[in-house]
Amino acid sequence: MKKSIILFFVILFLFHSYQVIHAQEMKSYSKLAEMKDALDRSNVTVKNWSLYTKGSIGFTEDVNGYRQQVALLKNAAQGFKWSRMKSNEHFKITGVRFSASGHVKERITLVAYPQKGKLATYLVYAAKGKGWNENVVLPFIRTYHDRVATYFEGKSSTFSCISGIHNGTMNFGLYKQALEIMTTFSAVPVEQLKEETFVSISAYTKQWDEKINTAHKAMNLQIAIRNQGMGGQTAVTIGTPIITSEY
């Protein structure tokens, strides 16, 4: 009887974990799909999309503890080609892997730095895909979140981003075009930067739960448009909650 009860709770836990991971998968795909739709409306061709997850691993006593974490990560992240461990003021090792089709590149980095007499460690896992093919994007996002659940034991944050190119002349100026894109998310501006060839708007939309707090208000959407000169292309990037440049 006791074994049956334990088995029941194990199954219940696994089912709950599956539901959580599946919900995260659909959130990530939904956000990327919404951003892709916004680019379509502006006649922008998708060039790439990316997912970026960062989380704290905790503390380890010394470099030997860090090496043990590296060994565990390598065992969990099979198929990555690893760099040599770098060390100066902090320790860092990076693994890279390409999908069989070559359309998706994954990168995972484990970093440790001195803090309070120990080494604080954090992990970054990122993926970048070329173009937009739903038959590639959706299955990979499922795989991505499975790996996030494997690599990250504690709390982590995931960022989504999509970029594209407009080859012709945009119907509006850069700022008005950014506002036009922003309205497709029913968002309100929080901060903005306007230059002759570059515009960036940080905004907040109630459509998405995640947010970060700035000095002014909460935000969870960022839009950047850069004109690449006379007769050149116009690059458009959308990210949530912010555009990540680290990857």
Side-chain angles (χ1 to χ4, degrees):
M1 182 68 178
K2 186 180 290 186
K3 288 183 178 179
S4 298
I5 294 173
I6 293 172
L7 180 61
F8 169 77
F9 281 107
V10 168
I11 293 172
L12 189 65
F13 171 77
L14 292 173
F15 179 70
H16 174 70
S17 298
Y18 170 79
Q19 286 184 313
V20 170
I21 293 171
H22 181 68
Q24 291 171 336
E25 293 167 5
M26 296 315 297
K27 276 186 180 180
S28 293
Y29 181 75
S30 176
K31 288 175 184 176
L32 281 172
E34 287 178 54
M35 291 189 281
K36 194 263 183 184
D37 182 61
L39 293 185
D40 287 345
R41 294 185 190 186
S42 296
N43 296 316
V44 175
T45 302
V46 175
K47 289 298 181 183
N48 57 69
W49 54 270
S50 62
L51 295 169
Y52 176 98
T53 302
K54 182 177 180 179
S56 172
I57 301 300
F59 289 88
T60 186
E61 292 294 331
D62 52 28
V63 65
N64 289 327
Y66 173 70
R67 287 196 176 99
Q68 289 176 7
Q69 289 183 340
V70 169
L72 289 172
L73 178 62
K74 285 184 176 181
N75 185 60
Q78 297 288 328
F80 282 79
K81 184 177 180 180
W82 296 92
S83 65
R84 294 184 63 182
M85 190 176 79
K86 298 179 182 178
S87 62
N88 37 48
E89 293 183 358
H90 62 272
F91 300 93
K92 177 180 177 181
I93 190 167
T94 298
V96 175
R97 174 173 59 189
F98 290 88
S99 65
S101 65
H103 288 98
V104 181
K105 177 184 178 182
E106 297 170 79
R107 179 184 294 166
I108 188 165
T109 303
L110 181 64
V111 177
Y113 58 93
Q115 186 177 16
K116 298 179 180 179
K118 295 184 178 182
L119 287 176
T121 58
Y122 69 89
L123 185 67
V124 174
Y125 173 46
K128 190 171 186 177
K130 297 177 182 178
W132 183 270
N133 182 336
E134 289 187 7
N135 294 327
V136 172
V137 180
L138 183 54
F140 179 80
I141 287 176
R142 289 173 178 156
T143 300
Y144 183 90
H145 282 285
D146 285 342
R147 289 172 180 163
V148 167
T150 300
Y151 304 155
F152 295 85
E153 294 184 359
K155 187 178 180 181
S156 61
S157 300
T158 297
F159 301 77
S160 306
C161 191
I162 194 165
S163 298
I165 295 293
H166 190 287
N167 289 305
T169 302
M170 286 189 152
N171 296 329
F172 314 106
L174 298 186
Y175 180 66
K176 286 187 177 180
Q177 190 66 48
L179 289 177
E180 186 80 9
I181 293 173
M182 185 187 72
T183 59
T184 65
F185 299 96
S186 300
V188 293
V190 175
E191 297 175 347
Q192 52 195 17
L193 172 66
K194 292 189 286 184
E195 297 177 355
E196 185 176 351
T197 60
F198 176 74
V199 166
S200 173
I201 294 180
S202 299
Y204 177 77
T205 174
K206 292 181 179 179
Q207 293 178 193
W208 299 333
D209 296 331
E210 295 84 357
K211 62 184 179 181
I212 61 173
N213 294 314
T214 69
H216 302 283
K217 296 180 181 178
M219 60 166 284
N220 57 6
L221 172 68
Q222 206 166 34
I223 300 161
I225 303 180
R226 183 182 296 279
N227 186 288
Q228 299 178 341
M230 287 291 293
Q233 299 174 325
T234 301
V236 182
T237 303
I238 307 173
T240 177
I242 59 172
I243 296 171
T244 57
S245 59
E246 294 159 273
Y247 185 67

